Amino acid sequence: MGERPPLVLASASPRRRVLLSMLSLELEVIPARIDEAALADGLDPMHAVMEVARAKAAAVDGGGRPVLAADTVVVLDGEAVGKPVDRDDARRLLRRQAGNHVQVISCVALRGADGTIDDRIAISTLRVNPLDDATIDAYLATGEADDKAGALAFQGTAGDFVTLVDGSRSNVVGLPLAETVELLANAGIVVEEPGAGLV
């Protein structure tokens, strides 16, 4: 296997870093500083994640190295569901999603050493089980919902009441690995293949 060039990750997300570690990549984390809300304003969820991911990749100076960025939204009835502002808002979001299907849409973008940006979209469909107030309150007490889109930490306790119907499991956790591997391969970056259960 050839020498792997270092890659810059334009994200502070610990979940994305853990997922990328499964590809045996050498990483430097430099979070992008952009106004995500302003970039996504007025756009449908799919175009919003594309705009934000590409802007993150463009915003970080990789010093001549490739820069990888991503953005993810949870979508219910065609509308992006953001992070809760407080516990009452989290409870409202969970009640709204309970018994329904939601989509997790991600865009992963890679800016090459030549400055060009390539991207891929991943869509996963989930079913959120019906939830009674006691279950919602117990989940909120864990604190896992506080900074998660839709108030759902799929990789945590919420995994007990969410079922993956279609799409990538790694996308739901924070980064679509199959699409990421494809982007990196197109840029000449060889990585370890992720386990089948992760993609």
Side-chain angles (χ1 to χ4, degrees):
M1 182 179 294
E3 192 173 311
R4 300 186 188 105
L7 181 73
V8 173
L9 175 62
S11 171
S13 167
R15 294 179 301 280
R16 288 180 180 143
R17 188 168 187 171
V18 167
L19 286 165
L20 285 169
S21 73
M22 297 174 183
L23 305 179
S24 299
L25 282 165
E26 182 184 345
L27 288 176
E28 180 181 359
V29 175
I30 307 177
R33 305 298 180 195
I34 62 170
D35 187 343
E36 297 183 28
L39 286 166
D41 187 42
L43 298 177
D44 65 80
M46 187 175 298
H47 287 95
V49 294
M50 290 175 62
E51 188 73 20
V52 171
R54 292 177 69 90
K56 287 179 181 178
V60 170
D61 180 3
R65 295 168 296 172
V67 177
L68 186 75
D71 191 51
T72 300
V73 295
V74 175
V75 179
L76 175 64
D77 296 330
E79 175 189 346
V81 181
K83 297 178 181 179
V85 297
D86 54 30
R87 288 287 171 89
D88 286 340
D89 190 38
R91 185 176 288 104
R92 180 188 63 79
L93 289 172
L94 291 167
R95 285 174 174 162
R96 185 176 168 205
Q97 294 171 90
N100 290 311
H101 286 79
V102 298
Q103 287 185 317
V104 178
I105 303 178
S106 294
C107 178
V108 57
L110 182 71
R111 191 181 83 223
D114 63 356
T116 59
I117 298 177
D118 194 8
D119 62 50
R120 297 289 185 278
I121 290 284
I123 302 174
S124 301
T125 302
L126 305 168
R127 183 180 185 277
V128 182
N129 295 342
L131 303 171
D132 58 30
D133 286 345
T135 301
I136 290 174
D137 288 341
Y139 172 60
L140 292 176
T142 69
E144 291 182 5
D146 293 351
D147 65 344
K148 304 297 187 301
L152 287 170
F154 303 110
Q155 70 279 11
T157 306
D160 294 339
F161 50 78
V162 174
T163 302
L164 178 65
V165 176
D166 185 54
S168 161
R169 185 172 303 280
S170 62
N171 177 42
V172 172
V173 176
L175 185 73
L177 288 179
E179 288 77 6
T180 300
V181 168
E182 182 181 342
L183 273 179
L184 294 170
N186 286 350
I189 301 171
V190 180
V191 299
E192 299 284 346
E193 286 292 331
L198 296 171
V199 295

